[in-house]
């Protein structure tokens, strides 16, 4: 009876979300034609019911705080950032203005898939996601992409939580699971990197979401749907299978497989680049945490300020992680596989960077990684913040939160307490969620 009730609530929530996905853009479109800035504010405000309909841990204050920080950051980026900040963004947007109707774009995209599937371009592939959105609402302003990307950002945070809630089974201190969940959700919602990239006319947040969703399909053994998702994700990024596999190996705790993949990645790097490639991969593994480089004064300018501050936080997380690894043997299984997976991803980026550098007839040397690696670290941001949440849980985060009286279970938020249902059908056992 309890399971049927849970399924019923889940079905109702899904139906409400589907209706909401239709009503929300239509409501925003009418305001957008009048005033685009007001439309953004209104759209963000209307995201609150959708946010509540998604499945989250029952931590109202953490969710509300993260949600507000995300919206404030998104509004700040919407005012100060040009969504067409680079050549890729401009080319993506040119499809909006170049095709008057969706019926004109679809044949172009399908022809591209059929004739160039071995060297497919991300422009028509990503267009399959945003062109229906633009043409359905009859919009032509590049700023409207923020609507779509913000929804993808929320789904990314939710997908990361659900993966950890269901499959994360690494040892944690007793009673610290809630701290882990709160920290993960808050940091993903408040991540300046995710907020910034979701404010551009770019594919990056979609890549992150597809990586998480692909890993979820692998864990649930839904192979046919996984093939469809990974094929589309590969059209967006050639190495999508790498970070998707990283998430899968993390949650299945297959350390030996991860070591084997790392060995294969090292062999490819040595054959293609030489030992210098491995050194650069090691440097990039650290750089995934500390980019943009806080030591560079230019990275503290207003445009990069929030992302550089995030790099300072990540540097502290890296140091604390090493300390916890050395101090507590219980943490070593998680940290070992997590950093192996980051190194595997770094190898993929080094190889991509090498091809880029050589294609431009530039010199490849120590510290040469490629172009725009700050952006390309985005697909493993959920893994980095999972490390952050795990480290915080082992670093006395529970007692800190109690002393500050924030993000605690005793926090009373009447609206969210009613809107966000408690978990039904699952409970925590041994640091991992167990389905009934």
């Amino acid at each position: 009876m309890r399971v049927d009730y849970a399924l019923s609530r889940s079905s109702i929530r899904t139906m409400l979300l589907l209706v909401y996905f239709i009503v929300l853009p239509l409501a925003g479109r009418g305001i957008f034609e009048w005033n685009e800035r007001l439309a953004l504010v209104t759209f963000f405000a209307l995201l609150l019911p959708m946010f509540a309909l998604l499945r989250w841990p029952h931590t109202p204050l953490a969710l509300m705080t993260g949600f507000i920080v995300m919206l404030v950051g998104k509004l700040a980026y919407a005012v100060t950032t040009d969504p067409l900040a680079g050549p890729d963004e401009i080319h993506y947007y040119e499809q909006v203005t170049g095709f008057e109707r969706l019926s004109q774009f679809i044949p172009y995209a399908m022809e591209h898939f059929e004739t160039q599937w071995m060297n497919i371009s991300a422009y028509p592939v990503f267009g399959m996601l945003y062109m229906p959105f633009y043409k359905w609402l009859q919009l032509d302003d590049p700023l409207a992409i923020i609507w779509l990307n913000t929804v993808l950002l929320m789904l990314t945070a939710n997908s990361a939580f659900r993966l950890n809630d269901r499959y994360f089974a690494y040892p944690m201190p007793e009673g610290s699971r809630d701290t882990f969940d709160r920290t993960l959700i808050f940091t993903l919602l408040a991540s300046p990197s995710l907020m910034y990239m979701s404010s551009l006319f770019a594919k990056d947040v979609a890549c992150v979401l597809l990586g998480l969703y692909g890993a979820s399909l692998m864990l649930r053994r839904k192979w046919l749907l996984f093939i469809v998702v990974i094929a589309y994700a590969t059209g967006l990024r050639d190495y999508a299978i790498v970070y998707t596999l990283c998430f899968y190996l993390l949650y299945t705790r297959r350390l030996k497989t991860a070591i084997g993949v790392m060995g294969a990645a090292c062999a490819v790097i040595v054959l293609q680049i030489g030992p210098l490639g491995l050194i650069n991969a090691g440097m990039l593994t650290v750089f995934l945490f500390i980019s943009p480089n806080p030591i560079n004064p230019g990275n503290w300018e207003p445009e990069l300020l929030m992302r550089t501050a995030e790099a300072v936080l990540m540097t502290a997380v890296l140091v604390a992680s090493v300390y916890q690894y050395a101090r507590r043997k219980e943490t070593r299984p998680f940290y070992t596989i997590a950093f192996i997976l980051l190194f595997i991803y770094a190898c993929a980026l080094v190889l991509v960077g090498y091809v880029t550098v050589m294609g431009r007839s530039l010199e490849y040397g120590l510290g040469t990684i490629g172009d725009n690696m700050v952006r390309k670290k985005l697909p493993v941001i959920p893994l980095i913040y999972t490390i952050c949440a795990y480290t915080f849980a082992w670093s006395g985060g529970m007692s800190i939160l109690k002393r500050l009286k924030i993000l605690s279970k005793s926090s009373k938020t009447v609206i969210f307490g009613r809107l966000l249902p408690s978990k039904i059908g699952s409970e925590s056992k041994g640091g991992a969620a167990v389905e009934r």
Side-chain angles (χ1 to χ4, degrees), residues 70-290:
M70 181 193 73
L71 295 189
V72 171
K74 293 288 297 177
L75 286 171
Y77 279 125
V79 173
T80 61
T81 302
D82 180 5
L84 305 180
D88 283 344
E89 288 83 356
I90 293 172
H91 289 319
Y92 288 130
Y93 177 65
E94 284 175 346
Q95 294 185 143
V96 174
T97 56
F99 295 93
E100 184 177 350
R101 293 183 299 274
L102 185 62
S103 59
Q104 296 173 337
F105 171 77
I106 296 296
Y108 156 76
M110 296 307 297
E111 181 182 359
H112 181 85
F113 298 153
E114 293 173 2
T115 60
Q116 302 184 45
W117 61 273
M118 285 293 291
N119 188 29
I120 198 165
S121 169
Y123 297 126
V125 176
F126 186 41
M128 295 293 289
L129 179 62
Y130 69 79
M131 286 292 282
F133 169 76
Y134 265 87
K135 296 308 177 183
W136 175 49
L137 295 179
Q138 298 179 349
L139 295 169
D140 59 4
D141 194 312
L143 203 61
I145 196 65
I146 297 177
W147 294 1
L148 177 61
N149 278 342
T150 301
V151 172
L152 296 181
L153 171 54
M154 289 172 49
L155 293 176
T156 296
N158 184 258
S159 296
F161 158 69
R162 295 180 69 161
L163 275 172
N164 280 286
D165 179 59
R166 186 170 183 178
Y167 299 108
F168 192 94
Y170 295 93
M172 281 193 288
E174 184 178 355
S176 65
R177 184 73 198 206
D178 287 342
T179 302
F180 175 83
D181 289 339
R182 292 169 184 144
T183 305
L184 177 68
I185 294 300
F186 176 81
T187 51
L188 283 174
L189 290 174
S191 167
S193 294
L194 287 172
M195 286 192 290
Y196 173 74
M197 294 310 303
S198 62
S199 300
L200 301 180
F201 209 120
K203 63 185 178 181
D204 300 273
V205 176
C207 291
V208 182
L209 179 59
L210 289 171
L212 292 169
Y213 189 51
S216 175
L217 292 172
M218 292 180 73
L219 289 163
R220 291 182 286 156
R221 302 182 183 280
K222 297 190 175 183
W223 300 114
L224 183 60
L225 188 54
F226 166 74
I227 292 172
V228 174
V229 169
I230 201 63
Y232 181 80
T234 303
L236 293 179
R237 285 213 184 280
D238 294 340
Y239 48 91
I241 187 62
V242 176
Y243 51 84
T244 301
L245 185 61
C246 285
F247 291 126
Y248 173 75
L249 292 175
L250 177 72
Y251 295 113
T252 54
R253 293 172 290 167
R254 297 186 177 181
L255 178 59
K256 292 182 179 179
T257 304
I259 293 173
V261 173
M262 181 180 68
C266 290
V268 172
I269 290 292
V270 171
L271 288 174
Q272 293 293 322
I273 305 175
L276 182 60
L278 291 180
I279 297 174
N280 285 340
M283 295 174 62
L284 180 54
T285 303
V286 177
F287 190 64
L288 290 172
F289 288 85
I290 60 172

Side-chain angles (χ1 to χ4, degrees), residues 308-342:
T308 305
E310 181 183 34
V312 173
L313 171 64
M314 290 294 97
T315 302
V317 169
L318 179 60
V319 173
S321 299
V322 173
Y323 172 75
Q324 292 296 338
Y325 177 89
R327 182 185 178 191
R328 304 177 188 276
K329 64 179 181 180
E330 305 99 309
T331 67
R332 292 171 190 170
F334 171 75
Y335 286 128
T336 299
I337 193 170
F339 281 93
I340 285 175
L341 296 176
L342 288 178

